[in-house]
Amino acid sequence: MSRPEMPRTRAEWQQRAADLTAGEGLETRAFINDVFVDAASGETFESTNPATGEVLARVASCDAADADVAVSHARAAFDGGAWSRLAPGRRKKTLLRLADLMEAHKADLALLDTLDMGKPIASSLGDMSGAIACFRYQAECIDKLYGEVAPTGEDTLALVLREPLGVVASIVPWNFPLMMTAWKVAPALAAGNSVILKPSEKSPLSALRLAQLAKEAGLPRGVFQVLPGFGHTVGKALALSMGVDCLAFTGSTGVGKQLMQYAGESNLKRLYLECGGKSPNIVFADCKDLDKVARHAAEAIFHNQGEVCIAGSRLLVENSIREAFIDKLVAAAETMQPGDPLDPESFMGAMVDETQHRRVLEFIRRGQEEGARLRAGGEATEVDGKGLFIPPTVFDGVTPEMAIGREEIFGPVLAVFGFDTEEEAVRLANDSVYGLAAGLWSQDIDRIMRVTRRLASGQVFVNNWAGGDQTMPFGGVKQSGNGRDKSHHSLEEYSDLKSVWMSLAT
């Protein structure tokens, strides 16, 4: 039976959405030990479309009881060896099969993320491409990363073996639901671990669909499980579980700090954190094409409604070009207004929920009170008379003491700073508790090399923003975390090293 073609127009996506959500089309139960089940408590929570306010479904709300059951099954699966001791080539084949199934169901997976958290369908489709590429890359790494032979004398043989850690709990955010899931789950599975996924309560639907595909792909029972629910219930239970060997988290720095405490209170489990950001984007006056750079700078903050951990939310512009550059940036922002997330032409969608909507508007109010100059946006808006939308908002004359120049807003709000010297630009860029990403735009290669080395950031984009593919690791420094997603480095995080020292002479 052939699958329907990829929708191309707003009307076609609207029809696909109606078909997907009709009747029993959405899976809303937890996935535990290869079976979809209600939460042990019977509790559920609403999944709501922020673009319309409509309730999509009621989803199982798991808690500590469900976590205990899932951890027990994950441990049994790991100890049983059906996945953990499976030949690398066979694990690879299974994960490639899962990637193929994701490709076949790409439209529906993207649609679930768009409906669940309000992002434009074009953005969700891009996320699906990234998620699929992640599974394929990690699958191909499985049989290409070797152990080591230590340089010992001829009467000994010392081996360094790579082995899976055991049970991995992954807690992922709502802003890139399935792509962040792939970044966490794919390397952990590739290494041979059993994985328990807790998706955000704001965007759980694509994770549950992934569970269906994982079962179809042939992952053994108990190797991959999905527990929807809240951070303070099931998330906390996984973090405190003595049966979880590793916890991988993407989300706010505040929650990351709490998880570190839970890891210490329990079994000192490994903890990989990818946390918040307030990323500087530095524009020097020697840029080649200011119109192009201005558009890239606008995209760096307004993509995904600004709900991006690496959003270029602090724009540092050399004062000799600042006024002209801001004019160009505001003009670019005018072309990025919110629209119906189901319209492929929409650049921005809705804020994820009312809480985030209010939070962003409060930061905009504080920016005006603290004396920043509002150059664009600043008011909530609607699309077709409904929804939680905020247009691109630009503040100039921002100083480091202002809340909008210091705190992570996670919305379409850009804070513009001016600088006169390279030294001042570096000082402003590094004046943050965060260090997730940074960018700089210049034609001077000497300056590029100097500034790149001095930026306190886990990744630096030069004459681009958010470049890189699966071959490049993703992660931060300072209070942006210690984890690394993507590339073979992430697979290595989910592996343990075992030293084997053999005496050859008896």
Side-chain angles (χ1 to χ4, degrees), residues 48-258:
T48 303
N49 183 344
T52 64
E54 298 171 355
V55 176
L56 296 167
R58 296 201 65 88
V59 181
S61 185
C62 296
D63 58 23
D66 305 284
D68 288 344
V69 173
V71 171
S72 175
H73 287 303
R75 175 61 59 192
F78 182 80
D79 291 344
W83 184 253
S84 59
R85 295 196 296 273
L86 188 66
R90 294 179 64 187
R91 287 206 309 273
K92 169 183 170 179
K93 184 177 181 180
T94 301
L95 291 186
L96 288 175
R97 168 65 174 156
L98 176 54
D100 289 343
L101 288 170
M102 292 170 66
E103 185 82 60
H105 294 274
K106 180 178 179 178
D108 286 345
L109 290 169
L111 189 52
L112 288 172
D113 279 357
T114 285
L115 295 174
D116 225 1
M117 61 82 53
K119 69 192 307 167
I121 189 63
S123 177
S124 292
L125 286 170
D127 293 352
M128 293 312 109
S129 296
I132 294 164
C134 179
F135 269 97
R136 287 178 173 153
Y137 180 93
Q138 296 297 335
E140 290 292 352
C141 280
I142 292 174
D143 56 4
K144 298 175 180 64
L145 289 181
Y146 290 76
E148 302 172 14
V149 177
T152 62
E154 63 180 21
D155 59 343
T156 59
L157 177 62
L159 307 178
V160 181
L161 308 180
R162 296 185 184 275
E163 297 182 340
L165 295 174
V167 176
V168 174
S170 299
I171 300 177
V172 298
W174 46 261
N175 57 332
F176 292 91
L178 197 57
M179 191 170 77
M180 292 290 99
T181 290
W183 285 12
K184 290 288 187 287
V185 167
L189 288 174
N193 299 287
S194 295
V195 178
I196 302 171
L197 170 68
K198 195 214 84 74
S200 171
E201 70 277 5
K202 299 180 183 182
S203 57
L205 297 178
S206 62
L208 294 170
R209 184 71 181 100
L210 179 67
Q212 293 175 319
L213 299 181
K215 182 175 181 177
E216 185 178 346
L219 281 169
R221 180 182 295 270
V223 168
F224 179 59
Q225 302 175 86
V226 181
L227 302 182
F230 293 88
H232 65 274
T233 55
V234 67
K236 179 178 180 180
L238 290 170
L240 286 170
S241 173
M242 298 295 289
V244 171
D245 302 294
C246 173
L247 181 63
F249 169 76
T250 293
S252 72
T253 294
V255 174
K257 291 178 179 180
Q258 184 66 65

Side-chain angles (χ1 to χ4, degrees), residues 5 53 65 90 97 104 111 184 207 236 254 350 399 403 425 433 453 474 496:
E5 293 185 2
R90 294 179 64 187
R97 168 65 174 156
L111 189 52
K184 290 288 187 287
K236 179 178 180 180
T399 62
V433 299
R453 291 179 179 277
F474 178 98
D496 213 346

Side-chain angles (χ1 to χ4, degrees), residues 212 242 268 290 301 318 441:
Q212 293 175 319
M242 298 295 289
L268 209 63
L290 289 184
I301 176 61
E318 194 164 349
W441 302 79

Side-chain angles (χ1 to χ4, degrees), residues 282-287 290 316-328 396 416-422 424-425 441 447:
I282 309 170
V283 178
F284 289 98
D286 64 354
C287 285
L290 289 184
L316 283 53
V317 186
E318 194 164 349
N319 281 323
S320 62
I321 61 168
R322 193 174 92 193
E323 281 299 323
F325 188 83
I326 293 176
D327 288 342
K328 295 177 185 295
D396 187 19
V416 182
F417 299 74
F419 68 87
D420 291 309
T421 66
E422 181 181 306
E424 184 183 7
W441 302 79
R447 166 180 284 157

Side-chain angles (χ1 to χ4, degrees), residues 435-453:
L436 187 57
L440 67 100
W441 302 79
S442 174
Q443 300 303 119
D444 185 336
I445 188 62
D446 293 333
R447 166 180 284 157
I448 288 171
M449 295 306 299
R450 286 194 305 269
V451 174
T452 296
R453 291 179 179 277

Side-chain angles (χ1 to χ4, degrees), residues 219-452:
L219 281 169
R221 180 182 295 270
V223 168
F224 179 59
Q225 302 175 86
V226 181
L227 302 182
F230 293 88
H232 65 274
T233 55
V234 67
K236 179 178 180 180
L238 290 170
L240 286 170
S241 173
M242 298 295 289
V244 171
D245 302 294
C246 173
L247 181 63
F249 169 76
T250 293
S252 72
T253 294
V255 174
K257 291 178 179 180
Q258 184 66 65
L259 293 177
M260 291 191 79
Q261 293 182 41
Y262 292 154
E265 290 173 16
S266 54
N267 57 343
L268 209 63
K269 58 177 60 66
R270 292 195 188 186
L271 181 60
Y272 299 130
L273 301 174
E274 195 269 277
C275 297
K278 191 68 175 177
S279 302
N281 199 5
I282 309 170
V283 178
F284 289 98
D286 64 354
C287 285
K288 185 175 182 180
D289 187 340
L290 289 184
D291 289 298
K292 183 177 179 180
V293 175
R295 182 160 190 88
H296 281 296
E299 291 174 346
I301 176 61
F302 302 131
H303 171 66
N304 208 55
Q305 307 77 246
E307 297 169 325
V308 185
C309 56
I310 63 166
S313 54
R314 288 190 295 147
L315 180 63
L316 283 53
V317 186
E318 194 164 349
N319 281 323
S320 62
I321 61 168
R322 193 174 92 193
E323 281 299 323
F325 188 83
I326 293 176
D327 288 342
K328 295 177 185 295
L329 183 137
V330 169
E334 286 297 320
T335 69
M336 301 176 184
Q337 299 301 307
D340 182 352
L342 293 177
D343 185 346
E345 299 302 316
S346 295
F347 182 85
M348 283 175 53
M351 306 308 295
V352 69
D353 63 7
E354 290 184 0
T355 299
Q356 188 64 17
H357 189 249
R358 288 194 301 269
R359 171 183 166 82
V360 174
L361 292 175
E362 174 62 17
F363 269 108
I364 292 173
R365 184 192 65 78
R366 290 176 66 184
Q368 293 173 299
E369 286 185 351
E370 291 177 347
R373 180 186 176 194
L374 183 65
R375 297 291 297 268
E379 299 285 343
T381 187
E382 294 180 337
V383 173
D384 297 331
K386 52 192 173 183
L388 304 171
F389 298 89
I390 297 176
T393 298
V394 179
F395 282 100
D396 187 19
V398 179
T399 62
E401 301 79 35
M402 296 179 182
I404 59 171
R406 182 181 67 254
E407 298 183 35
E408 184 179 37
I409 300 173
F410 227 63
V413 181
L414 178 63
V416 182
F417 299 74
F419 68 87
D420 291 309
T421 66
E422 181 181 306
E423 188 69 27
E424 184 183 7
V426 172
R427 179 182 57 78
L428 284 170
N430 289 340
D431 185 15
S432 173
V433 299
Y434 300 109
L436 187 57
L440 67 100
W441 302 79
S442 174
Q443 300 303 119
D444 185 336
I445 188 62
D446 293 333
R447 166 180 284 157
I448 288 171
M449 295 306 299
R450 286 194 305 269
V451 174
T452 296

